[in-house]
Structure formats: structure tokens, C-alpha cells
Amino acid sequence: MKRKKSKKRTKRRSNVAFMLFFLVLIFVLYDQFKQLDIKETAVSLLPNTVSRDVQNYTPILQKELKEVNLEEYTLVLAAIMQQESKGKGGDPMQASESAGLPPNSIQDPEQSIKQGVKHFQKALNYGSQKNVDFPAVIQAYNMGIGYIDFVADQGGKHSEEIAKEFSLKQAEKNPEVYNCGGDKNNFRYPYCYGDFTYTTKVTENIEILTASDTGKSGEFKSVW
């Protein structure tokens, strides 16, 4: 009888030990899953790098810029494309409006790049004539050549405050169109013509591209 009781006690202890081990295992797995989820969330909050599509279009950008002797601005145009579309769609340079067409009328990426380069060249040349800084030229890609005149009249140096002033003046000319879709929570509201933070965003893209460039940065002109 004693042996049977001893066997039962041993079996119970084994069962309890197994249950404890199983509970500890569940806890460990849950903790690891939680840590993994935290890491994935943290990664999702990191800034997006320049898209693969933009990198793929960079040789075409370089080719088009070389034809107008502006090859040194390849990284700048790549940074602009990243901001405009991340290289997606038929008009990755979002250049349709600069050609006098409705948005996204261009549906051929190479045509978009040609027009984008043309628009940039026009802004660059006019910016040089008006003696404005290069950040104003970048902002003019977004807000139009008229922005260069506006900056020139205020000392020639771009700032987000000047971009806001210009945006508001343009928006007031056509408030039904430039109203941020009626969304007062939009960060641009009431400066709904263009994006007054455009130069800041493109500059960040240039920094990312420069950091990730594979040893070719020496071929490109410093634009600042």
C-alpha cells in the first residue's frame, strides 16, 4: 500500500511540475512575442528611406539632366521625386501641372521626368537671375516660378514663413480650390496652396540620399 501511495505522490508531483513548466513556457513565449511586437512598432516609426522605385529612376534622371548640363543636380531631382510620389505612378515627378495640364495627365514616367527636369531647369535659371537662394528654387518646384519673384522681393532667402505668406496670397485668389479639401485639421490649413514645408522635406530626402549613395556623392555638386 505504501508503494502505491508513493507512486501516486510521485505522479502528482510530476503533473504539478509539468503544469508549472507549461505555464512558465507560455509566459516566456508571450513575453517574447510582446517584445517582438514592440520592436516591430519601433521600426514602423523610423523614417522611411528613399524608395526602390526612385533609386531605379535615378539613372534616367541623371541622363536627362546631363543633356541640359545639370547632371550635378541628380540627387536633388531624386529627392524631389521621393517627395512627390516615391517613384509611383505614371507621373512620378508630378510634372503635369508645370506643363499646363491637369494633375496626373502625364502617364509616361520618362515623359514625367523630362518635364520635371524642364520645370526644375526653368526654376534654377530664373532663381539665378533673381538672385534667390537654392532652397527658394526647390520650393518653386512645388509652388511655381512666381514664388521666386515673391522671395526676391523679400531679400532673396527662402523660409517657411515666407512660403506661408505666398501660399496664403495664392489661396485667397481661389479659395474654393485651395482650401485643403475643407479639412481644417490639415497641417497646411489655411496655407493650402502648395506645401510650405516642401523644401524642408526635400532637404531631408537629399540628406538620406547622400548618406546612402555608394561612393558617387563626389560627382554631384553641393547645392547649399
Side-chain angles (χ1 to χ4, degrees):
M1 292 292 293
K2 287 183 179 180
R3 285 185 179 179
K4 287 184 179 179
K5 287 182 179 179
S6 178
K7 286 182 179 179
K8 287 182 179 179
R9 285 176 185 170
T10 302
K11 189 175 182 181
R12 285 175 186 170
R13 287 174 184 169
S14 298
N15 289 339
V16 170
F18 177 79
M19 288 299 295
L20 287 173
F21 173 78
F22 185 72
L23 289 172
V24 169
L25 180 62
I26 289 175
F27 178 81
V28 170
L29 290 174
Y30 173 78
D31 186 65
Q32 288 181 344
F33 176 80
K34 192 174 180 182
Q35 290 297 322
L36 179 61
D37 185 61
I38 291 171
K39 287 179 182 178
E40 288 178 346
T41 302
V43 169
S44 70
L45 295 175
L46 293 174
N48 291 327
T49 57
V50 173
S51 76
R52 178 64 60 184
D53 293 301
V54 171
Q55 293 179 41
N56 290 339
Y57 280 131
T58 299
I60 302 174
L61 280 169
Q62 189 170 10
K63 173 179 170 291
E64 292 298 327
L65 286 163
K66 189 174 183 179
E67 290 185 6
V68 292
N69 297 314
L70 293 177
E71 185 181 2
E72 65 268 31
Y73 291 100
T74 300
L75 290 183
V76 176
L77 269 292
I80 286 174
M81 183 189 287
Q82 171 70 15
Q83 184 56 37
E84 291 290 345
S85 69
K86 292 184 173 60
K88 304 294 184 183
D91 188 8
M93 293 301 295
Q94 291 294 288
S96 296
E97 289 176 272
S98 70
L101 302 169
N104 296 308
S105 294
I106 296 173
Q107 286 300 307
D108 177 1
E110 291 200 22
Q111 184 186 348
S112 173
I113 289 171
K114 283 179 182 290
Q115 178 58 34
V117 168
K118 183 179 179 180
H119 180 44
F120 174 78
Q121 182 185 24
K122 183 178 179 180
L124 185 66
N125 291 341
Y126 193 58
S128 179
Q129 292 174 26
K130 301 294 287 187
N131 199 30
V132 301
D133 62 2
F134 191 72
V137 171
I138 292 178
Q139 190 68 40
Y141 189 95
N142 173 256
M143 288 185 162
I145 303 301
Y147 181 71
I148 291 174
D149 287 318
F150 191 77
V151 173
D153 290 340
Q154 300 197 51
K157 290 191 175 182
H158 160 81
S159 70
E160 287 192 1
E161 286 306 311
I162 290 176
K164 281 182 176 180
E165 290 177 31
F166 180 77
S167 175
L168 196 58
K169 285 180 179 293
Q170 298 302 108
E172 287 172 347
K173 293 177 183 178
N174 199 344
E176 293 182 0
V177 174
Y178 303 114
N179 62 2
C180 296
D183 181 9
K184 293 185 178 181
N185 292 320
N186 189 307
F187 82 93
R188 295 182 298 130
Y189 191 88
Y191 314 103
C192 297
Y193 179 87
D195 179 356
F196 62 85
T197 66
Y198 189 80
T199 291
T200 301
K201 291 170 179 173
V202 171
T203 301
E204 290 172 355
N205 292 340
I206 291 171
E207 290 171 355
I208 293 171
L209 270 166
T210 302
S212 63
D213 190 50
T214 56
K216 296 182 180 179
S217 57
E219 297 177 15
F220 302 107
K221 181 179 179 180
S222 174
V223 296
W224 305 108

